[in-house]
Structure formats: structure tokens, C-alpha cells
């Protein structure tokens, strides 16, 4: 399945692969990879037990993606270990780790570079570019979607306040 008319990239209409995630839906399982003393795997089960934010970006090497990641990293710091937070892109895990080190970002990053299944399963893969679209998904402790924003123009920033409020509402 594909979704048309949902996003643009620099004003050009793009197509999202996969089906749209619905609020209340159980989040699809995933297998992402990150660099920490070698390559490690991150699965949905690793996030369960705490509310989670998944910040999705095309590439950390672009200005808007860097801003989004740094803003969420800064704003989520106050919630500490009450939540899980991860930025997902298709950048290689080693490039993600280098970005986090250079930008002093402690938020976890994970990559969909191997199978590209996350992008399609979450309905955020841009078919024409083979990159992930810009989106934010908040999950409850059981892994159900409670908030979702797929940013309509990929070059624009997400609604930080909406995502943070959804996460804070779960923490109490």
C-alpha cells in the first residue's frame, strides 16, 4: 500500500510507502540498529514498560533533522528515565553515533538502514527518495500509538509542543 497526498518535499508531492498508523493501534514491531560498543539491535519490546517517543527524520546530516533531534534531546531531558526516546533515520549507526558525540546529544538513535522495514511498517518511507519522512510518534507503556504527526512538508519542523504534551500526559 501507498499513501499519496500526505507529504511534500520542497513543495513536490511525495508518496509514503505502507499504511498509515492509527491512534490506538498497537505499534508494529521493529528491528533497528545502533552503535554502542559495536552494533546492537533495538526492538519495540525494548521500549515497552515506559512511555516512548520515536522522533523520525530523513537524515541527521541535514539542518532541520539536526535541529529536531537537538530540541527533543534538550526538552526530554527533564523527564529523565521515566520515558524512552529514540531518533530513527536511515543514517548508518556509526554516523548517528558521531553526530550525537559532536552535538552532545544523549538521546538514543537507531537506524533503519538494513531492512527498511520500519519505514514501511510505520508508513513513513518516502518511496521516491528511499528515506524516512519527518514524523513523531508517541507510544504508551504498552506500545500503543497515542500521538502521531507526519509533518506535511518534510523540510519543516514538527509540532514539538504537541508531542511533548502527549508524552507528559502519559508520565503524569
Amino acid at each position: 500500500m501507498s499513501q499519496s497526498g500526505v507529504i511534500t518535499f520542497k513543495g513536490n508531492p511525495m508518496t509514503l510507502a505502507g499504511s498509515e498508523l492509527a491512534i490506538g493501534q498497537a505499534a508494529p514491531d521493529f528491528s533497528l540498529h545502533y552503535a554502542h560498543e559495536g552494533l546492537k539491535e533495538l526492538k519495540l519490546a525494548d521500549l515497552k514498560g515506559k512511555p516512548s517517543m520515536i522522533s523520525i527524520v530523513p537524515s541527521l546530516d541535514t539542518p532541520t533533522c539536526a535541529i529536531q533531534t537537538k530540541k527533543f534531546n534538550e526538552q526530554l531531558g527533564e523527564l529523565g528515565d521515566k520515558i524512552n526516546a529514540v531518533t530513527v533515520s536511515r543514517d548508518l549507526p556509526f554516523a548517528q553515533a558521531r553526530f550525537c558525540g559532536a552535538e552532545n546529544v544523549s538521546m538514543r538513535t537507531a537506524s533503519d538502514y538494513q531492512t527498511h522495514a520500519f519505514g514501511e511498517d510505520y508508513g513513513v518511507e518516502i518511496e521516491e527518495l528511499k528515506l524516512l519522512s519527518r514524523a513523531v510518534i508517541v507510544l504508551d507503556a504498552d506500545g500503543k500509538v497515542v500521538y502521531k504527526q507526519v509533518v506535511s512538508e518534510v523540510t519543516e519542523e514538527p509540532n514539538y509542543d504537541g508531542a511533548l504534551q502527549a508524552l507528559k500526559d502519559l508520565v503524569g
Side-chain angles (χ1 to χ4, degrees):
M1 291 194 79
S2 295
Q3 305 168 64
S4 299
V6 178
I7 64 161
T8 57
F9 180 69
K10 296 184 178 179
N12 298 308
M14 297 282 140
T15 308
L16 292 177
S19 299
E20 180 181 0
L21 270 182
I23 301 296
Q25 173 184 345
D29 198 8
F30 55 77
S31 176
L32 301 170
H33 294 85
Y34 64 98
H36 179 74
E37 300 173 358
L39 278 181
K40 307 280 185 191
E41 185 178 38
L42 179 69
K43 294 183 159 288
L44 179 63
D46 297 323
L47 300 182
K48 288 188 176 178
K50 295 181 186 179
S52 300
M53 175 183 286
I54 303 173
S55 173
I56 304 164
V57 299
S59 175
L60 292 171
D61 286 329
T62 61
T64 307
C65 298
I67 289 167
Q68 178 176 333
T69 303
K70 291 189 284 186
K71 267 192 182 179
F72 276 136
N73 181 70
E74 180 182 306
Q75 294 175 341
L76 293 172
E78 69 186 54
L79 296 175
D81 64 356
K82 296 177 187 172
I83 58 134
N84 294 305
V86 61
T87 293
V88 179
S89 72
R90 290 217 170 130
D91 297 302
L92 292 177
F94 307 107
Q96 292 175 332
R98 187 171 48 250
F99 169 86
C100 290
E103 299 294 338
N104 200 27
V105 169
S106 58
M107 185 173 172
R108 179 183 283 177
T109 55
S111 178
D112 185 35
Y113 82 101
Q114 282 194 349
T115 66
H116 291 200
F118 176 90
E120 188 166 337
D121 292 347
Y122 279 69
V124 295
E125 176 182 292
I126 304 171
E127 288 183 357
E128 294 86 351
L129 304 176
K130 302 300 181 226
L131 293 171
L132 300 178
S133 187
R134 184 173 318 285
V136 182
I137 298 168
V138 175
L139 307 175
D140 69 12
D142 297 322
K144 285 191 180 162
V145 178
V146 297
Y147 175 91
K148 178 194 73 162
Q149 180 196 16
V150 176
V151 180
S152 59
E153 169 52 55
V154 177
T155 61
E156 295 178 2
E157 294 176 57
N159 176 356
Y160 298 104
D161 293 338
L164 290 167
Q165 190 58 56
L167 195 58
K168 288 177 181 178
D169 288 348
L170 294 171
V171 174

